[in-house]
Amino acid sequence: KQPLTTASLFNRDDVKKKFQEMLGKKAQGFITSVLQITASNALLSKADPMSIYNAAAVAATLDLPLNNNLGFAYIIPYNQKYQDNNGEWKSKQVAQFQLGYKGFIQLAQRSGQFKTISATPIYEGQIAVNNPLTGIVFDFDKKSETVIGYAAFFQLTNGFYKTLYMTIDDLKKHGVKYSKTFGNKNGLWNTDFDSMATKTVIKLLLSKYAPLSIEMQKAVTTDQATINNEDGTDVSYVDHEIVEAQPINKEHERITLLIGDCKNIEDVELLQETYPEIDVKLF
């Protein structure tokens, strides 16, 4: 019996049918892109084919292209340690699903609830006011050559808005805590710090403060995870487990946090409009 390969797996009729159900006419092009990505990466070509399939299935469910040049979503190889039946530690290559910051923005825009969403590096001199009660005010007319942090912002169609700012030091501490590859010279935190920092502030802003669609919940939960089934409901984290990647079971905490940020009755009323299913009187 021939060993299962990514190419042979994706050539099966049942697999082709599954992607056709999810993507329609885009299915064949999507499958081709997965095979091209796998073939062009020496480590990914050695990864467990089923982990590649499951990661690709999540990307297809979210309708995000797997094209490294577009930056919406990626399949990344990781070396996973495990114990065999004899209790001996071994390792194998597995595929991990990752969203780029453009993927999070795309999903937010699709929900129809966002008027705008964006993120940007913040340069020295651009923080005009740093009030812990009312938030940070930026002066974007000023710009030096030194990036001191990154900020993300969204505004919903009903007027509700939120900003999150993290310093470079905050972002590095986050990377050290949540990514085993932070110190790897070939890891994205080192080869593309700007993209990882942008993604981090957007992801944290959305997961903490935004109303999350079903798609967004899946995106936050599956990002940086090895997907163990094709519908993405069973995941394990190759990196340190991301605590903010579990918004579905933490909605009460998020609403409590948002209510704590309200400065007046108008803010509370706007929050009630944003989350009509929540009775703020109970908090």
Side-chain angles (χ1 to χ4, degrees), residues 92-138:
K92 64 178 180 179
Q93 288 293 328
V94 296
Q96 182 193 70
F97 176 72
Q98 284 195 15
L99 266 85
Y101 74 88
K102 293 180 182 178
F104 279 109
I105 291 176
Q106 178 73 232
L107 295 176
Q109 291 174 334
R110 273 190 217 157
S111 72
Q113 294 180 283
F114 290 78
K115 182 178 180 180
T116 184
I117 178 171
S118 60
T120 182
I122 301 299
Y123 292 83
E124 191 173 37
Q126 288 187 331
I127 296 180
V129 178
N130 188 359
N131 188 318
L133 294 178
T134 60
I136 297 176
V137 176
F138 299 102

Side-chain angles (χ1 to χ4, degrees), residues 32-82:
T32 299
S33 69
V34 174
L35 296 178
Q36 288 175 340
I37 291 169
T38 303
S40 64
N41 187 308
L43 293 177
L44 195 57
S45 64
K46 299 176 182 177
D48 173 24
M50 285 305 300
S51 70
I52 294 175
Y53 166 75
N54 289 333
V58 169
T61 300
L62 297 174
D63 196 13
L64 293 174
L66 287 167
N67 184 321
N68 292 346
N69 295 322
L70 296 179
F72 289 100
Y74 307 88
I75 298 179
I76 306 294
Y78 273 84
N79 192 45
Q80 185 181 59
K81 292 183 179 180
Y82 69 98

Side-chain angles (χ1 to χ4, degrees), residues 55 95-98 221-228 234-239 242:
Q96 182 193 70
F97 176 72
Q98 284 195 15
T221 305
T222 56
D223 180 43
Q224 294 181 228
T226 297
I227 315 301
N228 300 318
D234 180 11
V235 302
S236 55
Y237 296 96
V238 182
D239 278 354
I242 310 298

